[in-house]
Amino acid sequence: MCQRSGYVSHKKIVDWIDVRIGVREVVDKELTGYLLPRNINSWYSMGSILLFAFALQVVTGMLLLIYYVPDADKAFKSVSTIMNDVPYGWLIRMLHAVGSNMMVLALLFHMLSVLFMGSYKKPRELNWVTGFILFTLVQAISLTGYLLPWSQLSFWATTVATNSASVMPVVGPYLVEFLRGSPLVGPPTLGRFFALHVAVIPAVIAALIGAHLFLLKRTGVSTPPFGVKDTDNQWQGDSYSYEDHPGGIPFFPNFACEDMRSIAIYMAIFLAVVFFDPYLFFPKDAFLPANPFATPAHIKPEWYFLANYQTLKLFPNELIGLSLQAVAMTFLALLPFVDRGRERHPLRRRLFLICSVGGVLLWIGLSIWGHFS
Amino acid sequence: MLQQLLVITDNEAIIDIIMCAGGFMETDRNRRTFLGVCLGSLGIIAAAAVSWPLFRYLAPRSASETSGKVVIPDTDVREGDAKFFEYAGSSAVLIRKKNGELAAFSAVCTHLGCIVQWEKAKQDFLCPCHGGRYSADGVVMAGPPPRPLKKLPFTVAGGNITIG
C-alpha cells in the first residue's frame, strides 16, 4: 500500500515534468532506447571511467581551493596544513594527487582500446582528434598542477620541463621566459600555472569533453571487431548516417550497470593506492619546500613523461629529440587520416599490430630506462 | 486483470497458469524490493562514508582546537587604554579602567556581530555599525544590542595578564 502510494507520487512528479519538457521521450531515446552493439565489451566503459575521474578531480580540486594559498611564500605551508591539520585534508589531497595519475592511466587504456579495436577509423576521425587533444590537455593540467605544492620536486621538475622549450630556434629563450613569467621559475610562474590549472585548462577540457560526446552521439557507438564475422569498416563516406544497432542492448539499465561495475573496479584500485601506498607517485623531494638555490640530484618528471625525458637524454641535440617527439605526437594525432584501411580486427592488421605493440613496448622501455637512469 | 479473466473463462487450466504467473510476479516483486532495499542501504552507507569526511573538511575548527591562552604583558595596557587581540578565533579586548581595574571582553557586538571600538575619552565601547554603546563593564547603555558584552576570564601573575 505504502509502496503503491510512493509509486503514485513518483509518477505524478514525472508526469508534471513530462508534460513540460517531454522527459519520457528523452529517457526512451537516450537511455532505454539507446541501443549498443550486442558484442560490446568492458573496454567501452573507459570513457565513463574517465568522465567519473575528471568529475572527481574537479570536486576535490574545488575543495583544495578552500585551504590552498597560491603564493610562493605560503603554498607549501598551506599544502602541509591541508595534509596535517585540516580534518580529512590528507584524503582530499591524496584523492586529487593520486587521482591525476590514475586518470592518465585510464586515459592511456582508453586510447589503447580505441586503437586496437580500430574505432578511430572513419567516420570517427574527429572523435579521435578531440580525444587526442584531451590527452594533451590532461598532460598539461597535470604539469601545471605539479608546481602548485611549491615543493623541491614541483620547482625543479617545472624548471626542467619549461626549459625544454628553449631548444626552439629563434623564439626558444623568449618562449621559456614567457611560460615562466620570469627568467627563472618563481612566484610569477606559480601565478600563471595556478590560473591555467584551476580555470583555463579545466574549462577547455570540459568544452572538449562536450564536443567528444556530441561527436559520439552523432556518429553512434562503433561495433567492436570481436565476435562478428565481418570486421570491415562499413562506412561508405558518401553521406551522413548514424550507426545504429537494431536488436542491441539498451544503454540503461544494461550498459549503465556495466559502466558502474567498471567505475567500481577503477575506484577499488584507486582507493587501494590512496589508503595503502599513498606516496607511490611521490619521490622524497615532494616533501621538501622549494629552494631556488639548491638543485636536488636526479630530478625526474612524472612517470608518464619519463619516456619523453629519456628520449631527450638519448639525443645529443635537444632539438632533434624534441622534434622527434613532436613528429611522433603529430603522427598519432593524425592516425585516422594515415591508416585508412577498412579492416578493424587487430589480428588482421599485421602492420598496425607490429607498429602499435612495438610502440607501446618502446614507450614502456624508455619509461623504465628513464626511471632507472 | 486477473478478476476480468476469471469472469470471462471457467477453464481451470488457464486459471492455474494465470495464478502461477501471478505468484511468480509476486515473488519477482519481492525479490526486486529486497534487492532495491539492499542497494538503497549500500547507497546510504556510501553517501555517509563520503559525506562525513566532507563535512569534517569543511566544518569550522572547533573552539577547543583554536582556543589557547593569550598572554599580554601588564605594561601593554595603560590606564584608560584598551588592547584588542585575537582569542579563540574571534576578537577580544582587554581594558584597564581609570581606577586601574582590568576587564576582558569579547569584542563582538551582541547585536549583529560587528567589532566594538573603545572610546578612550568617554571610557566606553561604541559599535559603529548601528550605534550600540556599552559601558566599561560591558553593560548595554544605548542602542540595539540585546545583551552585554561577553566577559572573558583572566589572571594576573608575574607581570603578565593571561586571558582564558
Side-chain angles (χ1 to χ4, degrees), chain A residues 272-300:
Chain A
V273 177
V274 169
F275 292 131
F276 297 108
D277 197 2
Y279 300 140
L280 179 66
F281 302 109
F282 289 71
K284 61 177 173 37
D285 288 318
F287 303 101
L288 298 169
N291 182 351
F293 301 107
T295 313
H298 314 300
I299 196 81
K300 280 179 184 161

Side-chain angles (χ1 to χ4, degrees), chain A residues 138-160:
Chain A
V138 166
Q139 287 184 318
I141 205 167
S142 303
L143 186 81
T144 49
Y146 216 47
L147 180 68
L148 304 192
W150 207 248
S151 65
Q152 274 290 71
L153 181 74
S154 312
F155 188 91
W156 295 102
T158 306
T159 298
V160 175

Side-chain angles (χ1 to χ4, degrees), chain B residues 85 92-95 102-106 150-154 161 163:
Chain B
F85 55 94
V93 59
L94 177 72
I95 58 164
L102 285 164
F105 303 99
S106 160
K150 188 184 164 196
K151 283 188 176 172
L152 299 178
F154 64 91
I161 305 157
I163 296 104

Side-chain angles (χ1 to χ4, degrees), chain A residues 3 63-64 66-67 87-89, chain B residues 33 52-54 56-58 61:
Chain A
Q3 257 192 343
L63 290 169
L64 288 174
I66 295 169
Y67 296 104
Y88 293 99
Chain B
T33 308
W52 176 245
L54 200 59
R56 291 283 293 125
Y57 183 80
L58 295 172
R61 312 290 292 281

Side-chain angles (χ1 to χ4, degrees), chain B residues 21-51:
Chain B
F24 173 75
M25 282 166 68
E26 192 59 36
T27 317
D28 199 38
R29 192 181 300 156
N30 288 341
R31 193 174 63 94
R32 279 173 180 243
T33 308
F34 173 73
L35 288 173
V37 169
C38 288
L39 199 64
S41 308
L42 277 175
I44 290 168
I45 293 167
V50 171
S51 305

Side-chain angles (χ1 to χ4, degrees), chain A residues 15 30 39 41-42 57-58 71 75 99 106 113 120 122 145 176 182 189 210 213 249 270 273 281 297 325 327 329 341:
Chain A
D15 284 345
E30 306 296 338
N39 62 335
N41 55 50
S42 297
Q57 290 303 107
V58 170
D71 179 308
S113 72
Y120 58 88
K122 59 185 180 181
V176 174
S182 54
T189 324
L213 292 176
I249 61 163
F270 175 19
V273 177
F281 302 109
Q325 289 181 33
V327 169
M329 287 291 273

Side-chain angles (χ1 to χ4, degrees), chain A residues 30-321:
Chain A
E30 306 296 338
L31 297 175
T32 52
Y34 176 34
L35 301 180
L36 302 171
R38 289 200 76 82
N39 62 335
I40 199 162
N41 55 50
S42 297
W43 291 102
Y44 278 68
S45 287
M46 294 310 294
S48 301
I49 291 176
L50 281 165
L51 261 183
F52 181 83
F54 180 67
L56 200 63
Q57 290 303 107
V58 170
V59 172
T60 51
M62 285 175 176
L63 290 169
L64 288 174
L65 279 176
I66 295 169
Y67 296 104
Y68 174 74
V69 186
D71 179 308
D73 292 330
K74 297 171 183 165
F76 187 82
K77 192 173 181 299
S78 70
V79 174
S80 302
T81 303
I82 292 170
M83 290 295 286
N84 301 319
D85 300 329
V86 178
Y88 293 99
W90 60 271
L91 180 62
I92 306 290
R93 201 239 168 165
M94 282 296 124
L95 285 175
H96 195 74
V98 175
S100 70
N101 286 277
M102 297 299 291
M103 192 167 75
V104 174
L105 193 64
L107 189 47
L108 290 174
F109 279 119
H110 185 41
M111 287 178 79
L112 282 176
S113 72
V114 168
L115 270 176
F116 280 90
M117 289 192 270
S119 304
Y120 58 88
K121 296 196 170 196
K122 59 185 180 181
R124 297 187 174 81
E125 298 96 327
L126 292 173
N127 295 55
W128 174 262
V129 172
T130 50
F132 194 86
I133 299 170
L134 277 168
F135 170 62
T136 55
L137 284 170
V138 166
Q139 287 184 318
I141 205 167
S142 303
L143 186 81
T144 49
Y146 216 47
L147 180 68
L148 304 192
W150 207 248
S151 65
Q152 274 290 71
L153 181 74
S154 312
F155 188 91
W156 295 102
T158 306
T159 298
V160 175
T162 49
N163 200 56
S164 309
S166 67
V167 300
M168 296 270 284
V170 189
V171 293
Y174 181 71
L175 189 62
V176 174
E177 195 171 332
F178 187 82
L179 283 170
R180 292 174 178 171
S182 54
L184 295 174
V185 171
T189 324
L190 182 61
R192 55 185 60 209
F193 271 44
F194 176 70
L196 284 170
H197 186 77
V198 306
V200 182
I201 306 176
V204 182
I205 287 181
L208 269 166
I209 288 174
H212 197 63
L213 292 176
F214 170 77
L215 292 166
L216 173 74
K217 287 298 292 176
R218 289 300 296 164
T219 319
V221 171
S222 65
T223 309
F226 309 117
V228 284
K229 275 186 184 168
D230 189 5
T231 52
D232 264 9
N233 191 352
Q234 298 299 319
W235 194 68
Q236 297 303 317
D238 45 3
S239 63
Y240 166 72
S241 68
Y242 175 78
E243 186 174 344
D244 57 356
H245 304 282
I249 61 163
F251 172 74
F252 186 86
N254 300 46
F255 201 70
C257 283
E258 180 91 18
D259 274 347
M260 295 295 283
R261 187 186 63 175
S262 301
I263 290 170
I265 293 170
Y266 168 80
M267 282 307 288
I269 299 167
F270 175 19
L271 292 178
V273 177
V274 169
F275 292 131
F276 297 108
D277 197 2
Y279 300 140
L280 179 66
F281 302 109
F282 289 71
K284 61 177 173 37
D285 288 318
F287 303 101
L288 298 169
N291 182 351
F293 301 107
T295 313
H298 314 300
I299 196 81
K300 280 179 184 161
E302 289 160 289
W303 61 271
Y304 42 85
F305 286 130
L306 280 173
N308 308 61
Y309 161 81
Q310 186 59 26
T311 309
L312 281 179
K313 281 172 70 175
L314 285 176
F315 289 90
N317 183 328
E318 270 198 14
L319 181 60
I320 299 173

